[in-house]
Amino acid sequence: MKRKELMSPSKKILSIVIVAAFLFQCQPSALNSKCDPNGSSYFQTLILLLGTSENTQFCGANIRNPFFGRTKVPRFVLVTNVGVSTATSNINVFRIQPNTGELSQVAGSPFALTNRPRYSVTNAAGNTVYVANVGNTSVSVLSLDPDTGVLSVKHSDLVLSSTPYSLVLDPNGKYLFASSETTQQIHRMAIDSTGNISTIPPATNTSNPTSGAVGKLVFDSLGRHLYAALTGGSGNMSGVQAFSFDSATGGFTSINVYQTSQNNLSLAISANDQFVYGANYFSQDVFPFVRDGGSGGLTIQTSISAGIAPGYTIVDPLNRFVYVANSGTGQGTISAYVINSLTGGLTSVSGSPFSSGFSPIGLGIDPSGKFLYSSNTQGGNVSGYSINGDGSLTPLVGFPVTAGTNPFSIEIVSY
C-alpha cells in the first residue's frame, strides 16, 4: 500500500490561502451550489479535495496543492530500440522491483514500433507515451496500461518537418516540444484532452554559436524556463540557450546563449532548479551553471573532464550527484560527480568513471535516488547500479539485461 504524506496544521492553513487564490476562477451556478463562492458548501468541498489529492479539478479549474506530495514509486522502465531497420525497431517495457531494482519484461514486450523510436517521454498520469521517431521524422502517441505495462497505439503519428532528437513535456502537460537533429529549431506541439498532439507553427529558432542543431531540452520544475543544448561540429563552439516560456501560447522568448565548448549534446537540471549541467560530446567535458530562478539566466562555472563522447547527463533527484554517460564506440563508462550545494561545482566521485555496457547513451534514476540504469547502444542491453551514499555505483545482480537493437533512451515511469 502506498503511503501518503499527511498535511501538518500549518500546511492546512496555507491550503486555505490557495483556496482564496482560486476564488474567482469558479463561476456561480444555480444548478451547482458548490461552485457558488457564496454557497455554504464552496469552501468545504474545495478544502476536502485539496486535502486528499495533489491535483484536483474544481468548477472548471485545475488546482494544484503544493503542500501535498509524496515520492512516486517506480513501476516501469521504457527503452527505445532504434534498430537498423523497421523490422528491428521496438520498445522494451520492463517492470521494476522498487526495493531491489530488478527488471523483468512485461508480457508482450518488446512492442513493435516500425518507425525507429529514439526517445520517449511519458505524461504525469503515466498513461500516455510520446515517442520521437527517426524513421519518418514523426512523433508517436501511445497508450501505456498502468497495470500491465502494455503499449498500444493511441493516435496517428504526427510527422514533423525535420528529424526529432529528444522530447520534453511542459510541467503542466499542455505542450510537447521536440528538438531537431538536423536544423536549429524546436518543434512546438499542443496536447488536447485525449492526449493527441498538433503542430503549433512556427517552430522556435535557436541561436547556435556555429552551425549545428539542437540536443536535449529541459524545463525548470515550475515550467517558466526552457534550456536547450546547442550542438555543433568537432572543433566548433556550441552552448546552451535559455528561453522564457509563455504557458498560455506555448511560445518561447530567448533570454541568452551561453557558450560552453564542442557539441553540447545533453543537458540536465537539478531537482531544486538551482543548477544546470551541459555535457560536450567532442570536447569531453561538463559545464555547471548556476541558475537565477527569477530571470532564468545562467552563470557558468568551472568545467570538469568527462570520458569519451559524453552523450547524456542526469542529476539524482536528491540534488547530490551528476552522472554522465560516456558513449564512445567500443567502450562504455559512466562518470560520477558530487555537487557543491552552494556553487553547483562538480568534483569526481572516488572510483569514477564506472564501467558500463558498450556505448551508454541514456540514463535513468528512480525517484528515491537508489538505482541508476543505462541503455547501452552498442551492447544492446541495460546496465543497473545501486547508488551509494558517496555517489559511487555498484552493479546490481542480474544485469546487464538484454534489450533490443541499438537501444537509445531509457525512461522510468512512476506512480
Side-chain angles (χ1 to χ4, degrees):
M1 180 178 295
K2 299 177 183 178
R3 296 176 57 192
K4 291 186 176 180
E5 179 183 321
L6 299 177
M7 293 176 65
S8 65
S10 61
K11 289 182 178 180
K12 290 181 179 178
I13 293 172
L14 286 169
S15 291
I16 295 174
V17 175
I18 298 173
V19 172
F22 288 92
L23 179 63
F24 297 103
Q25 291 192 27
C26 299
Q27 300 300 316
S29 170
L31 299 178
N32 190 357
S33 61
K34 77 176 184 180
C35 288
D36 181 357
N38 296 318
S40 60
S41 64
Y42 179 81
F43 284 103
Q44 295 173 355
T45 303
L46 185 50
I47 290 173
L48 177 63
L49 290 171
L50 285 174
T52 56
S53 64
E54 184 176 359
N55 293 277
T56 188
Q57 289 287 331
F58 183 64
C59 302
N62 182 39
I63 302 173
R64 180 178 183 274
N65 185 345
F67 306 109
F68 186 100
R70 62 177 177 83
T71 300
K72 288 187 172 184
V73 178
R75 189 174 302 173
F76 303 117
V77 173
L78 275 57
V79 178
T80 57
N81 300 299
V82 179
V84 294
S85 66
T86 58
T88 56
S89 63
N90 49 48
I91 298 179
N92 292 108
V93 180
F94 299 93
R95 186 176 293 273
I96 181 173
Q97 217 301 326
N99 295 321
T100 65
E102 178 185 359
L103 299 184
S104 58
Q105 293 219 53
V106 305
S109 177
F111 299 94
L113 201 63
T114 58
N115 290 320
R116 306 189 66 195
R118 170 187 276 160
Y119 197 96
S120 75
V121 63
T122 302
N123 69 343
N127 57 19
T128 304
V129 181
Y130 301 96
V131 182
N133 302 304
V134 301
N136 66 344
T137 71
S138 71
V139 177
S140 295
V141 185
L142 309 179
S143 288
L144 174 64
D145 188 307
D147 295 319
T148 66
V150 169
L151 283 176
S152 57
V153 175
K154 187 170 187 176
H155 294 288
S156 300
D157 288 359
L158 177 67
V159 177
L160 303 177
S161 59
S162 63
T163 304
Y165 180 79
S166 71
L167 300 173
V168 68
L169 286 160
D170 85 288
N172 292 318
K174 293 171 57 180
Y175 303 100
L176 176 71
F177 303 97
S179 61
S180 172
E181 180 184 46
T182 56
T183 65
Q184 298 179 9
Q185 290 182 317
I186 299 170
H187 298 287
R188 302 183 298 138
M189 291 157 276
I191 302 174
D192 68 17
S193 60
T194 71
N196 201 12
I197 52 176
S198 57
T199 301
I200 304 174
T204 297
N205 293 322
T206 58
S207 302
N208 297 50
T210 58
S211 61
V214 189
K216 195 165 185 292
L217 306 171
V218 295
F219 266 105
D220 71 300
S221 64
L222 298 178
R224 296 193 299 173
H225 304 111
L226 176 87
Y227 300 92
L230 306 180
T231 67
S234 179
N236 293 329
M237 189 63 64
S238 60
V240 175
Q241 188 163 4
F243 296 90
S244 60
F245 177 59
D246 186 337
S247 60
T249 66
F252 295 109
T253 301
S254 180
I255 297 170
N256 205 348
V257 174
Y258 306 89
Q259 293 191 5
T260 55
S261 194
Q262 299 176 47
N263 200 19
N264 198 142
L265 185 61
S266 180
L267 279 181
I269 188 168
S270 59
N272 59 13
D273 291 336
Q274 292 182 352
F275 309 116
V276 173
Y277 298 92
N280 297 283
Y281 190 85
F282 290 133
S283 54
Q284 301 180 5
D285 47 16
V286 181
F287 278 80
F289 296 88
V290 175
R291 175 177 175 270
D292 185 308
S295 69
L298 302 177
T299 302
I300 197 167
Q301 307 296 302
T302 302
S303 65
I304 189 169
S305 295
I308 299 172
Y312 197 92
T313 310
I314 195 169
V315 182
D316 89 297
L318 303 180
N319 307 297
R320 302 167 301 171
F321 312 117
V322 170
Y323 297 94
V324 175
N326 302 306
S327 60
T329 302
Q331 60 88 53
T333 62
I334 299 172
S335 296
Y337 309 93
V338 176
I339 297 173
N340 183 310
S341 61
L342 296 179
T343 68
L346 301 177
T347 55
S348 291
V349 168
S350 178
S352 177
F354 299 93
S355 295
S356 69
F358 284 161
S359 300
I361 193 60
L363 297 176
I365 299 177
D366 77 304
S368 70
K370 293 192 301 184
F371 305 113
L372 179 145
Y373 303 91
S374 70
S375 53
N376 307 311
T377 296
Q378 191 179 3
N381 53 31
V382 174
S383 298
Y385 307 85
S386 61
I387 299 176
N388 301 312
D390 62 354
S392 60
L393 300 176
T394 300
L396 292 170
V397 175
F399 286 83
V401 172
T402 299
T405 303
N406 294 330
F408 200 88
S409 73
I410 186 164
E411 180 190 8
I412 297 176
V413 182
S414 304
Y415 299 84

